[in-house]
Amino acid sequence: MGAKKPRVVIIGAGMAGLTAAHRLYTCAGSRDLFELCVVEGGTRIGGRINTSEFGGDRIEMGATWIHGIGGSPVHQIAQEIHALDSDQPWECMDGFLDVSKTLAEGGLEVSPCVVEPISTLFKLLMDFAQGKLLEDGASSEERELHNLAVEAFKVCESNNGGKVLSVGSFLRQGLETYRDMVKDQDEEVQGGHGNWRRGSLEEAIFAMHENTQRTYTSAGDLLTLDFSAESEYRMFPGEEITIARGYSSIIESLASVLPHGLIQVGRKVRRIEWHPEVHQGMILGNGHSHDRPVKLHFCDDSVMSADHVIVTVSLGVLKAGISEDSGLFSPPLPTFKTQAISRLGFGVVNKLFLQLDPAHDPKGNSFNNFPVLQMAFHRSDLKMRHEEIPWWMRRTASLCPIYHNSDVLLSWFAGEEALQLETLTDEEIIAGISSTINCLLSQPEEPQVKSSTPKLCNGNVKSVHRFVGSDVKFEKVLKSRWGTDPLFLGSYSYVAVGSSGDDLDMMAKPLPRESHETGTSPELQILFAGEATHRTHYSTTHGAYFSGIREADRLLQHYDCV
């Protein structure tokens, strides 16, 4: 009998797992080296990539964007398989620039003269937090706001013993510094069903951008998002785009080269049994040589042994897996690994799709008029808030068609609001969204405004709305449920206050660790991949892709194949 091939089992058929499998299977000279298997606990491949359909349109329930096309491996694959064009309408998000409206609670359409300075302030504060330099040719206003960001940073440092703790505290200090600079501008702004003071309106617009940032990062509260690590995060240059044929086309391309049967779905792992002190050639207590040191115990009570296991489950599953009553790893993971898992953040971001009901408009043209809504709300502790707006809507930044003139609208939710969304019935969601739209789009009897009348830079309503809230009706809804799905338990990772990029590096360390005392080469029993194991591209599909390549190459190098 010939020597057994090393058996490599990859847990999870998402981006990281399938990239690792693709790399191991297609690398020159390695195809006959390994016995390769991918086990997936769910009934589909893709993980947090899940393209679906709603209202006749192609939509994404999970990963949506290619974050920068310059150098992105995801963009390269999408180009190679011609996935960037489609005859079927898809979630291309092309309607933001020309039809965006910022509406404040009570029906006030906010003038760009109020919105744009706050939007610029927020962008420059985030640029500063991310370590971006002020661009050449910046306007005098941008330079002034950049200097304001520097001042806010110094104040935060002074208030916290020389260290800025969170992105959230820095942003709020930036807003406070800005308000001190323009404190003489706090006139009353009238319009809609209620009055705002300019300072409160600016704070609401700032909070709108914070809520968008929460969905970008998955941090339910930006006060938990570490400031120092923010500058380590890297974006690819170029535009951010969606994939016309769906993000799942990338997954299908990676999986297409793998032999039938290599991917096994419906195989949920209950326990990973490994041997931290066992090295090749050691004899176990029962007298047998230990040639496959890892055993996978599945929920159907079957068992599979392996030489190497690449774990690509989400950080949320790992957090649950290190709890005392979980037993996912036997013996438990070493302290350096559990501490990194515990310290890092893993949040919930959900998407809500709503299809407009054409029945309410006999002319059938209302879809052409639904704007890209940016929503500014009163603080939830203020008496002037509209009680009919549910609390889970108040930290949602936008509601917009998924492409120009689409009858499908999209809104993003993060944190507690995202978890609450998962518990609501379709009827409760429609009622809550409808109440919110009524408070934002419905207007009292409006004055006739001549076209020659100049637009006032005070936040007043600038034009008569053709699309009023009381007319909006929805036919059906569709929502993601990443927070309560036991295969994910959340959406993506972030560096929380108290953790650092070092923890992301620790996430990527294989087990058992190399012995510094003996210099023994590690057996690579358990390897870790996934977006939460990449120091500079965490939270992204390309980060997951890179991690899959990294761990596949670690094994290939172990066997002198690379």
Side-chain angles (χ1 to χ4, degrees), residues 55-75:
D57 295 337
R58 184 178 290 125
I59 61 165
E60 304 291 354
M61 299 300 290
T64 303
W65 296 94
I66 296 178
H67 294 289
I69 61 176
S72 166
V74 178
H75 183 253

Side-chain angles (χ1 to χ4, degrees), residues 544-555:
Y545 179 95
F546 286 141
S547 74
I549 295 291
R550 181 195 66 220
E551 297 311 307
D553 283 352
R554 196 192 301 274
L555 283 176

Side-chain angles (χ1 to χ4, degrees), residues 92-100 372 401-404:
C92 62
M93 309 308 295
D94 64 348
F96 283 98
L97 296 180
D98 53 349
V99 292
S100 176
V372 174
I402 63 171
Y403 57 84
H404 190 60

Side-chain angles (χ1 to χ4, degrees), residues 239-262:
E239 62 181 324
E240 297 188 70
I241 62 173
T242 59
I243 301 176
R245 282 177 46 198
Y247 234 114
S248 291
S249 65
I250 308 296
I251 291 296
E252 291 160 3
S253 175
L254 292 170
S256 65
V257 303
L258 303 176
H260 179 73
L262 191 149

Side-chain angles (χ1 to χ4, degrees), residues 172-300:
R172 280 288 148 169
Q173 183 59 55
L175 178 62
E176 184 178 331
T177 304
Y178 174 83
R179 289 303 308 157
D180 287 343
M181 186 175 72
V182 296
K183 57 187 174 183
D184 57 329
Q185 303 176 20
D186 195 26
E187 70 273 13
E188 189 174 89
V189 182
Q190 297 182 346
H193 290 287
N195 297 336
W196 287 74
R197 297 206 68 81
R198 181 165 180 140
S200 298
L201 188 57
E202 289 175 335
E203 181 180 359
I205 295 166
F206 195 86
M208 181 180 75
H209 289 294
E210 287 178 314
N211 289 329
T212 299
Q213 196 67 29
R214 291 167 63 232
T215 66
Y216 290 166
T217 63
S218 91
D221 188 338
L222 296 182
L223 292 173
T224 68
L225 185 63
D226 185 74
F227 182 88
S228 298
E230 191 68 16
S231 60
E232 287 195 271
Y233 185 82
R234 292 291 176 265
M235 292 277 289
F236 286 117
E239 62 181 324
E240 297 188 70
I241 62 173
T242 59
I243 301 176
R245 282 177 46 198
Y247 234 114
S248 291
S249 65
I250 308 296
I251 291 296
E252 291 160 3
S253 175
L254 292 170
S256 65
V257 303
L258 303 176
H260 179 73
L262 191 149
I263 302 173
Q264 302 176 15
V265 297
R267 299 274 278 157
K268 186 177 181 180
V269 175
R270 185 179 72 245
R271 186 169 79 254
I272 302 171
E273 187 179 332
W274 64 295
H275 296 272
E277 303 301 329
V278 174
H279 293 275
Q280 292 175 357
M282 289 188 67
I283 304 298
L284 300 182
N286 58 11
H288 297 290
S289 63
H290 191 86
D291 58 345
R292 297 208 198 276
V294 187
K295 282 187 171 56
L296 301 180
H297 299 259
F298 295 89
C299 289
D300 62 2

Side-chain angles (χ1 to χ4, degrees), residues 399-526:
L399 177 67
C400 56
I402 63 171
Y403 57 84
H404 190 60
N405 291 345
S406 174
D407 65 344
V408 174
L409 309 182
L410 168 64
S411 198
W412 294 74
F413 294 77
E416 292 180 0
E417 293 80 10
L419 286 171
Q420 179 67 14
L421 185 71
E422 298 188 27
T423 70
L424 300 175
T425 65
D426 290 357
E427 293 75 18
E428 289 171 326
I429 291 172
I430 289 174
I433 295 283
S434 298
S435 295
T436 303
I437 291 176
N438 285 338
C439 287
L440 292 171
L441 284 177
S442 294
Q443 296 288 339
E445 186 175 348
E446 301 205 28
Q448 295 297 315
V449 181
K450 296 182 180 179
S451 59
S452 60
T453 302
K455 295 179 181 179
L456 299 177
C457 190
N458 62 1
N460 285 7
V461 177
K462 304 189 300 297
S463 61
V464 176
H465 290 302
R466 294 176 58 204
F467 199 106
V468 294
S470 57
D471 291 335
V472 179
K473 293 181 175 61
F474 298 103
E475 189 172 8
K476 56 183 178 179
V477 303
L478 179 66
K479 63 186 176 184
S480 58
R481 293 182 174 90
W482 297 110
T484 52
D485 190 321
L487 295 177
F488 306 102
L489 299 176
S491 301
Y492 35 91
S493 62
Y494 64 95
V495 181
V497 172
S499 62
S500 70
D502 291 344
D503 286 327
L504 291 162
D505 288 340
M506 290 297 103
M507 290 292 299
K509 296 288 186 184
L511 298 175
R513 297 183 78 177
E514 180 176 353
S515 171
H516 296 293
E517 298 172 353
T518 65
T520 304
S521 176
E523 272 191 298
L524 301 179
Q525 290 179 33
I526 305 180

